[in-house]
Amino acid sequence: MAVLGSVGWGALALAGPPVLAPLLPYVLFLCVIIATRSMAFRLRAGPLVALDSAFYIAAVGCLGPLGAGWMVAVALAIDALCRPSSAGSRASAGERLLFAFYFGGMTGGLLMLLGRALGAELQQMDELIVLARVVALGVALLLGHYLIQGARLVLSGLAPHVYARGAVPGMLAEASLLPLSAVVIYVYRPDRPLGFVLTGLTYLLVNYVFNRLSHASEDLRRRVAELETLNRTAHALASTLELPELTEAIARETLAAVPAAELFTLSHRDGDGFVVDWMDRDRRRFERLRAREDEGVSAWVIKHRRPLRIADLDRSELVGKNDPGVCSWLGVPIVIYDDAIGVLSVQSRERGAFGAAEERVLEAIGAQAAVAIHNARLYELATVDGLTGLYVRRYFDARLAEELERSRRFEVPFSVVLLDIDDFKQLNDRHGHALGDRVLRDVAQAMRRCLRGVDIAARYGGEEFAVILPRTAMLDAHAVAERIRHDIGEVRVVHDGRVVGVSASLGVACFPESGAAEAGNLVERADAALYRAKAAGKNRVELYWREAAFLQARSP
């Protein structure tokens, strides 16, 4: 950028200073170009497009190549300094100065050199020749300008096809206005500026129409993308009723729907208090933290039940302890039956990263998330035992039938474990039901520690528990059951100064080794093994085998 800017300004300086008499034409051209630059827009997320090239070419014919070059160089340098987005939203003052030096010098110098080669003395030529020269000069300027800009952006890391996708429509839009350059040259009279003023106003009107059409097209494209995102999000949230999986789905879809978001948080009430589930977009790391409901920006959103957008967290009075790398914050309430149960929020390390469009999308996702979370909680109430946190028997039976069909289809084994707490009735009678409930909870926790995420543990009834072990053969299931038995044996409950120990008996049956034809038969075989464990002295694991075949094999 420094080299190209130096070459452009150097070429202008070597050509000499412009003759500014009369001054009015320079002022009029400068006003039109600055006004046109103020209506710049983007096509398909490509480079910034300002339909001002036609007036650059007209300036060559009216002011001469040198005067046009100096005037355009000064106009673009001023525009680059006044438009931070030209050099990037994160650019420092030095980077903006460098970009203004490069952009003004490169464009002005290129225009002056091409004008001397193709556009000198345009006003003294025949009309058709003027039109042909204007088109040739305009095409050469557009190609040179966009190639230089493209090379700079590609060297900065932008993919060539991404630049081309936005640059080509911009070049075509600018080229479509080149005939107006010839019209300006035809009507230009330094001593009678009215024709130029009327033509300039027409040119600005055309630019305004292009600008409005571009914004309308971009708004329509954004709305369509939002609808597609919400449709995809609805399908994703409807695919599961498990709260952990649902939370991850909400995080994944939110980060995809809000590209500026780098962090996602879902702050909500849980059975044990207020929790914050968060995910980092780059690391794809998902974690849960405990928090207080009455602190921070999330507390404000819950209290007022309306969205909150903060451009700079460092300057916000609502923020307590905050990640020092996070600058922007956007959150919406999750409302169920007029009760704000939590906050869906996104964060970015860039200041001012979120606007009204992101807020609108996040509100729509928050409304869908509220319904999905409510349904998941209702589902949890219907399928999870309130005391132990394990599944209820009805859910276990349904999953057992599914696992049996899956095992038959893919010819893989699976096992069922039935567990019964030893002497639980005597423990209840001797120490009371409060202690019995504590034992049930501690046994359930011990079981969960020994199981995988795909395993299904349920409270089968009273003090009896059941476990489905997918893709687990008999010997592996026996090892899991032994580990459960051992961990339950480590459970100690303190009651009235006395330490109460717990033990359990377990029975294991495997499909297809057990010969069970249906789900109920498999549970019966596991129950038979459990009965054998009880009869053999309790606190042990027994496997089911086909007794009749075993006895026949041992008979003489």
Side-chain angles (χ1 to χ4, degrees):
M1 290 171 63
V3 170
L4 288 173
S6 299
V7 170
W9 289 107
L12 291 171
L14 289 174
V19 179
L20 299 180
L23 183 62
L24 181 61
Y26 286 90
V27 174
L28 293 176
F29 268 101
L30 190 64
C31 289
V32 172
I33 291 174
I34 293 294
T36 304
R37 297 292 302 179
S38 69
M39 292 184 282
F41 54 90
R42 296 187 186 276
L43 292 174
R44 298 183 182 180
L48 199 67
V49 176
L51 304 180
D52 50 353
S53 298
F55 253 72
Y56 299 171
I57 308 304
V60 171
C62 299
L63 306 178
L66 180 60
W70 275 107
M71 188 267 303
V72 168
V74 171
L76 293 188
I78 294 173
D79 178 74
L81 286 174
C82 298
R83 188 193 302 274
S85 60
S86 298
S89 58
R90 298 184 182 181
S92 64
E95 290 170 331
R96 287 171 56 189
L97 283 171
L98 175 60
F99 182 82
F101 177 77
Y102 147 77
F103 196 57
M106 180 272 291
T107 309
L110 181 64
L111 178 66
M112 187 269 294
L113 294 174
L114 291 175
R116 286 194 166 184
L118 299 172
E121 308 297 334
L122 281 176
Q123 285 189 304
Q124 301 176 13
M125 297 180 182
D126 183 73
E127 291 181 352
L128 291 178
I129 297 177
V130 170
L131 180 60
R133 287 290 186 92
V134 162
V135 172
L137 178 57
V139 171
L141 177 65
L142 289 173
L143 286 175
H145 183 271
Y146 275 91
L147 285 174
I148 293 172
Q149 280 283 78
R152 180 182 68 86
L153 294 174
V154 169
L155 289 174
S156 300
L158 183 67
H161 69 279
V162 174
Y163 174 77
R165 191 165 60 240
V168 171
M171 289 179 61
L172 294 177
E174 293 206 58
S176 67
L177 296 181
L178 287 177
L180 278 175
S181 302
V183 175
V184 173
I185 295 173
Y186 296 154
V187 303
Y188 174 73
R189 297 292 183 274
D191 55 337
R192 302 174 62 183
L194 182 60
F196 174 85
V197 171
L198 293 176
T199 309
L201 291 175
T202 303
Y203 184 77
L204 292 178
L205 179 62
V206 172
N207 270 269
Y208 179 77
V209 171
F210 267 98
N211 180 277
R212 291 296 90 199
L213 287 175
S214 171
H215 281 72
S217 174
E218 185 61 31
D219 287 342
L220 179 61
R221 190 181 301 112
R222 187 183 301 114
R223 292 300 178 92
V224 170
E226 289 176 8
L227 291 175
E228 292 176 348
T229 297
L230 296 178
N231 182 54
R232 186 179 64 249
T233 302
H235 283 289
L237 299 189
S239 64
T240 180
L241 286 171
E242 304 288 344
L243 268 174
E245 296 177 9
L246 178 63
T247 304
E248 290 200 35
I250 294 172
R252 188 170 55 251
E253 295 303 324
T254 301
L255 290 173
V258 186
E262 298 177 62
L263 297 170
F264 162 91
T265 57
L266 176 61
S267 309
H268 59 103
R269 300 190 190 108
D270 191 56
D272 300 328
F274 199 74
V275 297
V276 178
D277 296 313
W278 69 278
M279 175 182 281
D280 188 312
R281 182 190 63 189
D282 297 330
R283 301 174 193 159
R284 287 292 174 183
R285 186 177 60 183
F286 199 87
E287 292 186 8
R288 166 168 286 193
L289 304 173
R290 293 287 169 186
R292 291 184 56 180
E293 187 176 349
D294 58 350
E295 288 185 349
V297 285
S298 294
W300 189 96
V301 174
I302 291 176
K303 179 181 178 181
H304 294 84
R305 287 192 297 180
R306 68 171 187 260
L308 177 64
R309 193 188 332 151
I310 301 176
D312 190 351
L313 285 172
D314 293 335
R315 299 182 180 180
S316 174
E317 298 177 354
L318 300 173
V319 181
K321 184 179 179 181
N322 182 51
D323 184 344
V326 174
C327 293
S328 301
W329 191 92
L330 171 64
V332 298
I334 299 176
V335 181
I336 297 176
Y337 294 126
D338 206 33
D339 179 30
I341 64 164
V343 177
L344 181 69
S345 63
V346 290
Q347 298 87 40
S348 173
R349 297 179 178 90
E350 181 178 344
R351 289 180 176 82
F354 307 118
E358 288 79 9
E359 182 177 320
R360 184 173 60 247
V361 171
L362 198 63
E363 279 191 283
I365 294 176
Q368 292 185 344
V371 175
I373 291 172
H374 181 60
N375 291 337
R377 288 185 172 179
L378 292 177
Y379 177 75
E380 187 177 84
L381 289 175
T383 59
V384 175
D385 177 62
L387 177 63
T388 63
L390 302 181
Y391 291 110
V392 296
R393 178 171 177 173
R394 182 174 60 254
Y395 181 83
F396 174 86
D397 290 339
R399 293 299 300 269
L400 179 61
E402 293 176 5
E403 195 59 43
L404 182 64
E405 290 302 317
R406 186 180 296 110
S407 181
R408 283 174 174 161
R409 180 179 180 183
F410 297 105
E411 298 182 350
V412 292
F414 81 100
S415 299
V416 169
V417 179
L418 283 187
L419 179 152
D420 187 84
I421 299 175
D422 296 330
D423 303 318
F424 184 75
K425 185 177 183 305
Q426 290 87 335
L427 186 147
N428 249 346
D429 294 341
R430 186 179 307 157
H431 302 287
H433 291 283
L435 178 70
D437 290 347
R438 288 181 57 190
V439 168
L440 290 173
R441 284 195 294 267
D442 290 349
V443 167
Q445 290 179 5
M447 290 175 60
R448 275 197 292 260
R449 288 195 296 267
C450 299
L451 299 177
R452 304 167 297 179
V454 296
D455 299 331
I456 305 297
R459 187 180 180 188
Y460 204 65
E463 71 275 17
E464 196 170 25
F465 300 87
V467 180
I468 300 174
L469 302 174
R471 297 179 177 270
T472 306
M474 182 176 288
L475 292 180
D476 293 329
H478 183 271
V480 174
E482 277 290 352
R483 190 161 60 247
I484 293 174
R485 185 196 64 79
H486 175 270
D487 282 15
I488 291 175
E490 298 291 322
V491 172
R492 296 291 182 270
V493 180
V494 179
H495 180 72
D496 292 337
R498 297 178 57 189
V499 178
V500 179
V502 184
S503 67
S505 301
L506 299 91
V508 180
C510 182
F511 181 87
E513 285 91 338
S514 64
E518 55 187 40
N521 299 143
L522 190 61
V523 174
E524 290 173 359
R525 284 157 170 72
D527 192 48
L530 172 60
Y531 179 80
R532 187 184 302 114
K534 290 285 190 182
K538 303 177 183 177
N539 192 23
R540 60 188 295 129
V541 176
E542 289 287 341
L543 297 173
Y544 174 83
W545 67 89
R546 302 186 189 185
E547 290 88 352
F550 177 80
L551 293 175
Q552 184 177 2
R554 292 292 301 269
S555 62

